[in-house]
Amino acid sequence: MALGLFVQAQWLVANVAGRNTLSLNGSWAVIVDPFNVGESNWKPIWKDQHATGVHDFYEYAFDNAIGLQVPGDWNSQRNDLLYYEGTVWYKKIFQYQPAHGQLSFLCFGGANYIADVYCNGIKAGSHEGGFTPFQFEVTHLLKAGTNEVIVRVNNWRRVDGIPALNYDWWNYGGITRDVDLVTTPTNYIQDYFIQLKKNDTSHIAGWIQLAGNNGLHKVTIHIPELKVQYTTQTNATGRADIDFTAYPALWSPEHPRLYQVQITTATDTVTEAIGFRTIAVKGTEIVLNGKPIFLRGINIHEQIPQRAGRAYSTTDATMLLGWAKQLGCNFVRLTHYPHNEHMVRMADKMGILLWEEIPLWQGIQFSNPVILAKANRLLDEMIERDKNRSAIILWSLSNETTPSESRDTTLTAMAAHARALDPTRLITSAFNHVAYKNNTITIDDSLSKVLDVVGVNEYIGWYTPWPGPPDAMVWKNPFHKPLIMSEFGGEALYGHHGSKDTASSWSEEYQEQLYKDQVAMFKKIPFLCGTTPWVLADFRSPGRLQPLYQQGWNRKGLLSDKGYRKKAWYVIQKFYGEKENIAH
Ligand code: GCB
């Protein structure tokens, strides 16, 4: 399906990390092409041609070009690319010996925003969307010996993009995530969904999809630690629905138990560590493994502040999620887009529940029908990658959208789409439409009715003045759904001190007081199921122009751009300590 620039890549092979891979990470030669001439001129860069005759020449060359590290954004790697929005051509040479009867797939963890991929001079495919994986089969494009991959990456912001023209984070461009060449047998295990059945802790259910020669194939699932050996058969399309009894120790933040699950067919085997838990809503409570839980959360952007660049590795994930643990969190909202897969897998290991969302952030062109198709495709890609991670409990559709007929239709259709892909998890969205009347605050975005859990972003004490004393606020919940306060906070420059009563002091004291007030209000909201302060750490944002205090950074972090704790950190840490004690 081609949707303008949006040429769809297919989800061809699940669990890349568990496969036979050749990593293409490392230094790639690049050509920076600000006017995007390399694609359309009469000697396109993707052909990577070299002069042969005396009257022959090419106004580009990868030879002697400066390299960029992959994975990694270009902005933080070269000073001249800090603000760059445009095209960069990447080239990687590698040695490969394709084995007979094997398939090869080029798998990209993510590239922002459009990527066109060429393998040995032939286009393998294109992808739109900066934060989700994409894959192309390249079996027929590879040869024994030296091979080359060239990728055009363009990060111009687009009116019909997701996200669109404006957003409050840095538009980091490049091949920001891992690149792997995956090899599988011709008849292989393409994908699988293996989780506990909804509200049932003694049945594992889902499906397995084989690719290649479709037909009736035997599939076995082996979970040695549960003494499970389950065998079934695929139908003519290569799919097998699965459902069997098992009594796993349940995955939870306190005990993040993962089991080695092995799937085997006559020609292929794949193993993955999977945890099992249930998640549900009961009235206005969120219920994990049958027990109500308060989500002690934090918002995290995929950025390492000290490096002022995109996070992309296991080490990065360990640091970001380690900070969340130190704050006392059992929950993280991965804002505002799916983060790299290391984050999600690390959360599974560390026992951190996750909210994962697609970058449908304010200013989206809902009246354009292409948006629904693009949004659903992003949901596909997010859910395809992460559906077996027990850490994930919430799929989020959007952040701060303005109510309109086209918005409502789009988000309603997206909610149905996400539920069809994954009937086990909860659907949410972050809204900022609440009605203030004296001391009463009413959740009033009507789209809340299509969600399982409502997220509210409120900036009382920062963008909105306090309508009255914080502990006198009365929240009304006409939808009778669990509420997560998905954003709240204010700015402070680390180490800068001043009045606790004046926002424009940009002081740690003002931010600290704001958090104390928020906590006082939270204690009076009976249906509040979780909080995610905005935000873990200061992050780069081009719209933050205050020359003394911001300097291109959003300063709402509980941690500074060097990772130092501001006073507000300790307010949340104390609140979460109290919540944890109550839970025990
Ligand atoms: C919001 C947005 C978030 C911004 C934040 C802010 O409501 O959801 O992306 O960064 O406010 O700091 O203004």
Side-chain angles (χ1 to χ4, degrees), residues 500-538:
K500 73 175 176 49
D501 302 314
T502 317
S504 63
S505 71
W506 302 89
S507 67
E508 285 197 46
E509 286 72 18
Y510 185 83
Q511 191 193 36
E512 177 188 37
Q513 186 57 45
L514 185 155
Y515 271 91
K516 285 181 179 166
D517 292 344
Q518 287 281 343
V519 168
M521 177 176 77
F522 295 156
K523 289 183 174 166
K524 299 284 176 66
I525 309 178
F527 46 84
L528 186 66
C529 294
T531 49
T532 48
W534 189 257
V535 53
L536 178 67
D538 290 355

Side-chain angles (χ1 to χ4, degrees), residues 64 83 182 228 261 356 368 381 439 493-494 546 548:
N64 308 315
Y83 292 97
V182 171
V228 165
V261 177
E356 194 171 33
N368 182 344
E381 291 170 349
N439 286 354
L493 181 66
Y494 171 76
Q546 215 294 336
L548 277 182

Side-chain angles (χ1 to χ4, degrees), residues 168 336 361 399-400 459 463 487 534 539 544 554 556:
D168 189 22
H336 278 301
W361 189 95
N399 180 72
E400 296 188 355
Y459 281 90
Y463 298 125
E487 290 182 27
W534 189 257
F539 62 94
R544 303 297 173 170
N554 182 316
K556 296 192 187 71

Side-chain angles (χ1 to χ4, degrees), residues 26-246:
S27 182
W28 288 51
V30 299
I31 296 171
V32 179
D33 176 9
F35 282 15
N36 197 36
V37 295
E39 192 181 42
S40 51
N41 70 15
W42 51 290
K43 291 177 176 177
I45 289 181
W46 54 266
K47 287 199 173 161
D48 192 19
Q49 286 165 298
H50 293 76
T52 48
V54 274
H55 291 295
D56 201 7
F57 65 91
Y58 291 91
E59 294 189 70
Y60 70 83
F62 284 102
D63 308 329
N64 308 315
I66 303 172
L68 281 176
Q69 284 299 315
V70 170
D73 62 84
W74 60 56
N75 316 70
S76 65
Q77 294 191 51
R78 274 173 49 175
N79 284 342
D80 60 331
L81 299 180
L82 176 61
Y83 292 97
Y84 184 67
E85 294 185 314
T87 290
V88 172
W89 294 83
Y90 285 75
K91 173 178 159 181
K92 183 79 174 172
I93 300 264
F94 59 97
Q95 299 299 316
Y96 193 59
Q97 298 298 332
H100 183 68
Q102 299 277 299
L103 303 178
S104 304
F105 302 92
L106 259 180
C107 300
F108 291 80
N112 190 36
Y113 175 78
I114 299 254
D116 297 318
V117 178
Y118 301 85
C119 183
N120 292 327
I122 296 176
K123 189 162 188 179
S126 300
H127 180 261
E128 177 175 349
F131 303 97
T132 44
F134 53 98
Q135 310 173 330
F136 304 109
E137 197 199 329
V138 289
T139 315
H140 308 296
L141 305 181
L142 291 172
K143 51 187 201 261
T146 305
N147 289 272
E148 106 179 356
V149 174
I150 290 181
V151 186
R152 184 189 79 102
V153 183
N154 177 285
N155 73 333
W156 283 330
R157 286 165 290 124
R158 291 163 165 78
V159 68
D160 65 348
I162 301 178
L165 290 177
N166 282 310
Y167 38 88
D168 189 22
W169 67 82
W170 210 258
N171 183 17
Y172 288 114
I175 305 178
T176 51
R177 297 183 183 168
D178 297 324
V179 185
D180 288 288
L181 187 65
V182 171
T183 307
T184 71
T186 317
N187 298 325
Y188 71 101
I189 301 161
Q190 182 177 352
D191 199 5
Y192 45 87
F193 185 42
I194 302 178
Q195 291 281 282
L196 279 179
K197 226 175 188 173
K198 185 92 191 157
N199 298 327
D200 184 346
T201 53
S202 59
H203 278 94
I204 291 174
W207 47 264
I208 292 170
Q209 180 68 52
L210 307 188
N213 182 6
N214 287 338
L216 312 182
H217 293 283
K218 199 175 110 178
V219 186
T220 302
I221 298 179
H222 186 38
I223 313 178
E225 292 155 297
L226 291 176
K227 298 193 172 27
V228 165
Q229 176 95 13
Y230 169 82
T231 300
T232 184
Q233 191 167 304
T234 59
N235 63 18
T237 67
R239 181 182 160 112
D241 289 324
I242 58 164
D243 190 340
F244 53 87
T245 307

Side-chain angles (χ1 to χ4, degrees), residues 407-468:
R407 184 220 53 173
D408 291 2
T409 320
T410 308
L411 291 189
T412 306
M414 286 168 60
H417 186 70
R419 283 198 177 94
L421 291 169
D422 178 3
T424 70
R425 290 180 176 81
L426 308 175
I427 305 295
T428 192
S429 239
F431 295 132
N432 55 347
H433 279 266
V434 290
Y436 295 93
K437 194 169 178 212
N438 303 322
N439 286 354
T440 304
I441 305 173
T442 308
I443 302 171
D444 80 342
D445 196 310
S446 64
L447 216 85
S448 303
K449 63 180 183 293
V450 309
L451 306 175
D452 299 305
V453 174
V454 178
V456 168
N457 297 352
E458 51 84 6
Y459 281 90
I460 312 176
W462 190 252
Y463 298 125
T464 312
W466 282 99

